[in-house]
Amino acid sequence: MQPATVTETTATQDSGRAGRRSPLRAIGGWRSSLWVLPGLVLIAVFVYYPLLENIYLSFFQWSVFEPIPEFVGGANYARAMGDPIFWRSLLNNIAYAVVSLVFQVTGALVLAALVETYVRKHGGILRAIYFIPSAISLTVAGLLFYFIYQPQTGILNEALRVVGLGDLAQAWLGQETTAIWAIIFMSQWQSFGYTTLLFSVAIQRIPRELYDAADLDGVGSLARIWYITTPLVREMSTLLIIVTVTGAFQVFNEVMVMTSGGPNNSSQVLGTWLYHAGFINNDFGYAAAIATVVFVITILLAIAQLWISRRKRVEW
């Protein structure tokens, strides 16, 4: 009986020690937290504080010539709801997001799956070729396509004339019906390779045994992409959808470089219309309201996508 008593006493003492946290361990935990503190401070100062300040200013009428902002409540938001250029800009952003989802997510996934399945031997070279446009800055790419779209000396119209389609040649950036689509095409050309590369990395993590089993069962290429590749790269797809949609509502550089929102505001997006309102029309309250609308749209879309992807999560 005595050994049992000693054992029980020892176990009680050990559990007591486990329940009490060592002072040195507590100090170590605080020291670990200190490494995170600088990052939190930087995020708070340069992200959250400007965001809150922007929301605050959206309820005021303010310009550089009026040092004291005038509180106007929701007048700036009501103005946005009645502004036809705001709605035109929003529709352009939506078109930008839809086309980007089709090409930069769906198209990139199909291309990456085909490359990783059928041309794995030369996949590295192809991935490098696809990625090269992504290494070019947006400003340089915008200027490059600005000259490509030139109506008289541009490469695009010259190519159309050479192949006998000269009737299709036009001022791509000078017409209201084609300006925004020309900019969207340039953006797809630049970003397509980057998303393809990310999908290739995700596909390489999928066990090859799944594809070998599909080959034995006689599963076709499209069926393999739909039933094997797509579900198992869902996390990467979710990330790229969020990044692509958010980027589509934050587009700015390429529009400013190529058209500045013209002609006749036909290629305005929310970012460029915000810029015009604040720095050209000197109406910073209205610009802050547009920025707040952009933030709300992007955060709601991101939350919705995360919620949908979490419900359809695939474990393997």
Side-chain angles (χ1 to χ4, degrees):
M1 297 295 294
Q2 186 174 358
T5 304
V6 173
T7 303
E8 293 174 359
T9 304
T10 304
T12 303
Q13 292 175 350
D14 292 340
S15 62
R17 294 193 190 98
R20 294 193 303 269
R21 189 175 183 183
S22 171
L24 293 177
R25 184 177 300 177
I27 294 175
W30 280 106
R31 289 180 177 176
S32 300
S33 301
L34 291 177
W35 291 99
V36 184
L37 184 60
L40 294 177
V41 172
L42 290 175
I43 293 175
V45 172
F46 293 103
V47 177
Y48 293 110
Y49 172 73
L51 176 62
L52 295 176
E53 183 70 13
N54 178 83
I55 296 174
Y56 172 77
L57 289 176
S58 68
F59 295 101
F60 289 83
Q61 184 71 33
W62 176 59
S63 70
V64 294
F65 302 108
E66 299 175 2
I68 301 177
E70 178 186 355
F71 181 77
V72 293
N76 288 322
Y77 295 96
R79 177 183 171 186
M81 296 301 100
D83 185 359
I85 301 178
F86 170 84
W87 289 108
R88 181 67 178 267
S89 302
L90 179 59
L91 290 176
N92 286 339
N93 279 109
I94 293 174
Y96 208 108
V98 172
V99 174
S100 297
L101 287 175
V102 173
F103 283 92
Q104 296 183 32
V105 179
T106 306
L109 174 58
V110 174
L111 179 60
L114 294 176
V115 169
E116 294 301 324
T117 303
Y118 297 106
V119 288
R120 291 177 61 86
K121 182 178 179 181
H122 305 290
I125 298 176
L126 291 176
R127 286 191 294 270
I129 294 174
Y130 297 148
F131 183 75
I132 287 175
S134 302
I136 303 175
S137 71
L138 284 173
T139 303
V140 174
L143 289 173
L144 173 64
F145 273 80
Y146 177 81
F147 291 111
I148 290 176
Y149 290 139
Q150 282 291 323
Q152 301 300 327
T153 59
I155 297 176
L156 178 57
N157 284 344
E158 284 296 324
L160 291 174
R161 296 186 185 100
V162 168
V163 299
L165 299 175
D167 293 338
L168 299 179
Q170 55 188 294
W172 299 96
L173 297 177
Q175 296 184 5
E176 297 183 20
T177 56
T178 58
I180 187 62
W181 300 108
I183 297 173
I184 292 175
F185 175 81
M186 183 279 294
S187 179
Q188 307 313 306
W189 169 83
Q190 185 179 35
S191 303
F192 184 78
Y194 178 71
T195 53
T196 302
L197 179 64
L198 293 180
F199 272 126
S200 295
V201 173
I203 293 172
Q204 290 173 7
R205 297 178 59 247
I206 300 175
R208 296 300 305 173
E209 293 80 2
L210 298 177
Y211 293 107
D212 295 337
D215 289 335
L216 293 176
D217 292 337
V219 178
S221 301
L222 293 179
R224 290 172 55 177
I225 295 174
W226 181 257
Y227 292 107
I228 298 177
T229 305
T230 301
L232 297 183
V233 297
R234 190 178 300 278
E235 292 184 357
M236 180 60 71
S237 300
T238 301
L239 172 64
L240 289 179
I241 289 174
I242 294 174
V243 171
T244 300
V245 173
T246 303
F249 280 92
Q250 295 177 348
V251 62
F252 177 79
N253 285 0
E254 47 266 60
V255 178
M256 286 299 296
V257 169
M258 299 176 72
T259 63
S260 295
N264 195 25
N265 293 313
S266 62
S267 62
Q268 291 281 8
V269 290
L270 292 176
T272 55
W273 188 232
L274 181 158
Y275 175 85
H276 277 78
F279 296 98
I280 295 179
N281 298 334
N282 196 27
D283 192 349
F284 290 101
Y286 185 48
I290 298 175
T292 303
V293 172
V294 174
F295 169 73
V296 171
I297 292 174
T298 53
I299 198 67
L300 289 178
L301 290 174
I303 292 174
Q305 180 58 40
L306 287 173
W307 180 74
I308 294 173
S309 63
R310 184 173 299 177
R311 295 188 62 187
K312 297 182 178 181
R313 186 180 180 89
V314 176
E315 301 290 346
W316 57 283

